[in-house]
Amino acid sequence: MNQLLKLILIAVLILCFLKMPYMFYRLSGYGLFAGFGWLAYDAFQRKDSLDVKIFVVLALLYNPFIGLPIHNLIQVIINIIVIIGMILNILFSQENPYEDYTKKDDR
């Protein structure tokens, strides 16, 4: 589920490079905010503090409610870095990270 969400977020970020209507950028801000918020919540459930910090920062960066005054060129560079980071996160993530935290009783 999370891998699919990460792929969807990557696709939205790639579509932001194309010339789209203004409403797409507004809606993509809400979608990115919700997606990164969900990934931060899931990382919190997995007790992965580094991923929580990264996804919270990304959720705040793409926050549609309080816009950050970032120049357009810097935003493009940030989008490229986020896309590369998300692809690396997908490639190097564990298959089922929840198995490590379940305690099995051998009785």
Side-chain angles (χ1 to χ4, degrees), residues 76-89:
V76 168
I77 294 170
I78 290 171
N79 285 351
I80 292 171
I81 292 170
V82 170
I83 289 170
I84 293 170
M86 293 287 285
I87 290 172
L88 291 176
N89 191 320

Side-chain angles (χ1 to χ4, degrees), residues 30-68:
Y30 290 107
L32 291 169
F33 177 71
F36 286 127
W38 175 261
L39 290 173
Y41 172 75
D42 185 65
F44 177 75
Q45 293 295 324
R46 289 185 286 120
K47 297 177 176 63
D48 188 0
S49 64
L50 179 63
D51 279 353
V52 170
K53 292 173 187 173
I54 290 170
F55 290 132
V56 165
V57 167
L58 290 175
L60 292 175
L61 180 67
Y62 292 106
N63 183 2
F65 303 109
I66 302 172
L68 297 175

Side-chain angles (χ1 to χ4, degrees), residues 84-99:
I84 293 170
M86 293 287 285
I87 290 172
L88 291 176
N89 191 320
I90 289 172
L91 292 177
F92 295 118
S93 68
Q94 298 175 2
E95 191 65 31
N96 191 359
Y98 294 103
E99 289 179 359

